[in-house]
Amino acid sequence: MTTEPNGASGGARTLADELRASSDQALATLLRLRPDLLNPVPTDLTQLTARLSSRASALRALERLDRFTLQVAEALAAMPDGGAATVLRDLLAGPARVKAHPGAEPVDRAAVIAALPRALAALRERGLLWGADTAPHLVIAVREALAPSAAGPGGTGLGPTLSEATLGMSPARLQQLLTGAGLPGTPDPVTAVAALGGLFADRKQCAALLTEAPPAALGVLDRLVWGPPTGTVPDAARPVTADQARSPVEWLLARGLLLPSGPGTVVLPRELALHLRGGRSHRSVAPVPPVVVPTAERDPQAVDSAAAGQAHTAVRTVEELLDLWGLQPPAALRAGGLGVRDLKRAALALETDETSAAFWLELAYGAGLLAPDGEVGELAGRTGEVWAPTPAYDLWLQQPTAERWVVLARGWLAGTRVAGLVGAPDGKGKARAALGPELDRVLAPVTRRAVLGLLAELPPGTVADADALLPVQRWHRPLRGGPTGPDGRELRDQLTQWSLAEAELLGVTGRGALGAAGRALLAGQDPAPVLAPLLPQPLDHVILQPDLTAIAPGPLLTPLAQALALCAEIESKGGATVYRFTAESVRRALDAGRTATDLHAFLEQHSRTPVPQPLSYLIDDVARRHGVLRVGAAGSYLRCDDPALLAEVLADRRAAELRLRLLAPTVLAAQAGPETVLTVLRTMGYAPAAESAEGDLLITRPDSHRTPPRSAPTPVADGPTAPDEVLLGAAVKAIRAGDRAATAHRRETVTGPAAARPEAGPARTDTRHLPRTAAADTLAALQTAVMLGERMWIGYINAEGLASQRVIDPVKVEGGYVTAFDHHAEKLNTFALHRITGVAELDED
């Protein structure tokens, strides 16, 4: 059984005993805060205690502590185990009548005393602390992780104790240190160390000794007092007496004020460091979190309007990007991700920089709207897997704008992918690719929620930048900063800046302040009803101009915007979007199956002005020439009912790369593929159309390429998931039942070895502690228990040969089986009689 040291009272109480005496609610709180303890559910409190004492579990729990609670744990690790609570208070706030070291920051003693019970309760709830409040104990694994040492001074900056620093030192050398410090000799090393420690603990005696030190020696101590407590000295282990000391360091070594920690290093003992600090364990103690200092104040209505406008832009940007990739899906890299050239093309298409383009791509990917198609084949002249919209994108397009934004915002808030890492070098020095596999960081959603949570605590319209938010985040989770980059900044610092920038791009914030929809999103509510009234109302019309342009004076309905983007090019964006009709854009609409009549009807229906004559002429002219030339696949070929037109193409030098050859008056053969032939002919000013092997016209739809059904990428788990109340209740019951079975007082009804039962098979576990009774006695005892309603203790070996102890209430015995309520599993179970090693009555006392 794993136990912890006894308390100062000298009792034999252990951590397991304290858990056993705790309430079910306290045990459930512990399991809720430490979900890693439930994998799998401990069989009893002894096993739970063993897991609490594991170093890995303790370190995970320490990462979730705030700065002051962590400082309390560090102070407990620096003091003797089970020391008085007054010692802990003085370590944090400093003794009441002792002057602090000049290098220490001022501390609010009253605030420390007021916050101390909360910190101790937090440590106790997480199973990191046990024992009475007057003499608390740290769990062994926590003490080992936080105890200061020469190699790891930790948050206190302290070194090892005298007894630790003098371990292995010869008795003669210890007596020399006592003589140098002006103390009488002792009979053994233990009392020598105790005497030297008593000197440092006595403030008057230690101060008197330090008054004799040379100023340079005091300067050495002052450099080590706040840590790190070690320094480099040649031949540090050489024994030096007070008479032989010639340098400031030797003067200190001769009196035990510095001790050798290696062949060339010395260390400041913890007791002396605490004396020099004025009894303080930390230079700076923060009992309460810092206050966020706002950088600006905005009108809340203006903030909500700006956030809503940007939310609308975010939705349209993702739609525009995925519409483009539905037509021209870029290739996926073999290692995963998107090539640099394709990222630049996406940025150019969105009229933004590559950093923002990477964010939009990751946003669509995280929402499940974009994915690799998983196919290997030829598409648009490329071979291999490509990035394309998913079927979920088509469903997303049918939703109102507010609901579409909610899909994007929720994916961003919970996602672990970090677009800001795109382009940064990985462990091998290669730049990370957008949509690549190395962009997941478990700190990302934690930091985003922390940033938005701090903004939500401010009054509406209040702006705070990263410099104002980071100190508060560091206080709440000092050990969760993530790795440090080449610039010396923690990952959390970068994530905070990226989170603020991304929240602004997405419309969670507006003008730097959290918007109303962002507050609803953070609170777990549906932001769509909050956002919808703030969004601009989509229009169902455009204004056609004589210069072959169409002006959309505001956002358009999605079907209208998609139809217009099919037959016209977007020339400029902003408050009003300008579309330009060209021969290429009209041909694109005709390729998609529209006819000239369809286009005329569409423009007349949605234009607030008459359709200009130049635009009508453009549509009719392109439609008249469209499909006259037909390109199909043989090597490939061109087919046309007009021999003169084919002769014109054959004679044109610009078609030389196609290596055309006349097969018949209406057919030309080409030595290039259909895609190449179509591209070259279009650059020559023709309007060719592709046809199938059966001679049918091929229609190119804008949504022609979609991936198979794909789900959104699963965020990387930040440790075990938090258990729900049902699981917690079941776990507590199981642990309590197992503990009752393991610790109940028992008296055997029948003694002696169990009868041999060959059919039970050999047990592969140690069964010496299981109850043993003969088969007939076992059967009789169980039948009696059924009649009298008694509770029994049994030993049981399952089909795998594993032995266990059970506390049961027998209900029925028949057919070689016992039906009983199993207190370990908290349910009715059936036990084979031949697998029961024996039974015993429970001592109700």
Side-chain angles (χ1 to χ4, degrees), residues 388-447:
T390 65
Y393 172 66
D394 297 315
L395 299 176
W396 180 77
L397 286 176
Q398 299 174 13
Q399 297 176 334
T401 302
E403 294 182 11
R404 284 195 272 169
W405 180 84
V406 172
V407 173
L408 299 177
R410 284 178 175 165
W412 170 78
L413 186 61
T416 54
R417 296 186 61 81
V418 180
L421 294 174
V422 173
D426 59 12
K428 298 180 181 179
K430 297 179 61 178
R432 294 186 176 92
L435 303 173
E438 298 182 351
L439 301 181
D440 283 290
R441 298 293 183 273
V442 295
L443 270 181
V446 177
T447 304

Side-chain angles (χ1 to χ4, degrees), residues 543-567:
I543 301 173
L544 295 177
Q545 302 289 316
D547 59 351
L548 299 180
T549 61
I551 298 176
L556 300 177
L557 292 170
T558 299
L560 174 57
Q562 291 178 324
L564 196 58
L566 179 64
C567 59

Side-chain angles (χ1 to χ4, degrees), residues 22-32 125 728 732 736:
S22 65
S23 65
D24 287 355
Q25 183 179 0
L27 190 57
T29 301
L30 168 63
L31 298 176
R32 184 184 298 108
E125 285 178 344
L728 285 176
V732 170
R736 292 294 193 197

Side-chain angles (χ1 to χ4, degrees), residues 485-500:
D487 57 354
R489 300 171 62 205
E490 292 180 331
L491 175 62
R492 176 172 51 196
D493 297 5
Q494 296 177 305
L495 287 174
T496 298
Q497 290 186 333
W498 292 335
S499 297
L500 288 172

Side-chain angles (χ1 to χ4, degrees), residues 471-716:
V472 187
Q473 293 187 74
R474 295 186 185 118
W475 187 92
H476 283 287
R477 293 292 183 270
L479 298 183
R480 292 278 283 173
T484 302
D487 57 354
R489 300 171 62 205
E490 292 180 331
L491 175 62
R492 176 172 51 196
D493 297 5
Q494 296 177 305
L495 287 174
T496 298
Q497 290 186 333
W498 292 335
S499 297
L500 288 172
E502 290 170 0
E504 191 74 15
L505 276 177
L506 186 54
V508 176
T509 60
R511 301 181 66 190
L514 189 63
R519 292 180 185 273
L521 175 71
L522 186 64
Q525 303 168 357
D526 185 5
V530 179
L531 179 63
L534 301 172
L535 292 172
Q537 294 300 314
L539 304 176
D540 61 353
H541 64 274
V542 294
I543 301 173
L544 295 177
Q545 302 289 316
D547 59 351
L548 299 180
T549 61
I551 298 176
L556 300 177
L557 292 170
T558 299
L560 174 57
Q562 291 178 324
L564 196 58
L566 179 64
C567 59
E569 308 289 351
I570 297 179
E571 190 169 79
S572 66
K573 305 174 186 177
T577 304
V578 178
Y579 295 84
R580 178 168 293 280
F581 295 90
T582 64
E584 290 76 15
S585 67
V586 173
R587 178 194 53 75
R588 183 173 64 231
L590 296 174
D591 286 343
R594 308 297 193 274
T595 65
T597 303
D598 295 337
L599 293 179
H600 286 304
F602 166 74
L603 294 176
E604 290 174 358
Q605 178 183 357
H606 294 286
S607 176
R608 286 293 178 87
T609 58
V611 179
Q613 203 172 50
L615 180 55
S616 297
Y617 287 165
L618 174 66
I619 294 173
D620 292 338
D621 182 57
V622 175
R624 185 170 48 255
R625 295 183 291 114
H626 182 263
V628 175
L629 284 174
R630 298 290 187 91
V631 177
S636 59
Y637 64 84
L638 282 78
R639 183 172 65 83
C640 183
D641 294 333
D642 185 357
L645 181 57
L646 278 184
E648 178 184 334
V649 172
L650 183 63
D652 198 320
R653 293 182 179 180
R654 292 175 294 175
E657 63 179 287
L658 301 180
R659 289 179 291 175
L660 299 174
R661 183 166 57 90
L662 186 65
L663 296 182
T666 59
V667 180
L668 287 177
Q671 301 299 314
E675 288 291 339
T676 303
V677 175
L678 286 169
T679 302
V680 171
L681 291 178
R682 285 166 182 167
T683 58
M684 293 168 60
Y686 298 99
E691 70 176 17
S692 67
E694 292 77 18
D696 298 326
L697 184 66
L698 287 179
I699 296 176
T700 305
R701 296 178 55 84
D703 57 349
S704 59
H705 194 77
R706 290 289 185 268
T707 71
R710 293 282 190 267
S711 58
T714 303
V716 178

Side-chain angles (χ1 to χ4, degrees), residues 15 37 42 56 65 105 162 219 238 284 447 480 532 544 564-565 615 624 671 688 712 715 720 758 771 833 836:
L15 174 58
L37 301 174
L65 299 180
E105 296 184 10
L162 267 171
R238 180 176 63 88
S284 173
T447 304
R480 292 278 283 173
L544 295 177
L564 196 58
L615 180 55
R624 185 170 48 255
Q671 301 299 314
L833 272 172
I836 298 177

Side-chain angles (χ1 to χ4, degrees), residues 106 223 226 240 280 334 341 434 661 669 760 799 817:
R223 287 195 294 272
W226 292 109
V240 179
R280 295 262 298 270
R334 290 186 178 180
R341 291 182 179 178
R661 183 166 57 90
Y817 291 91

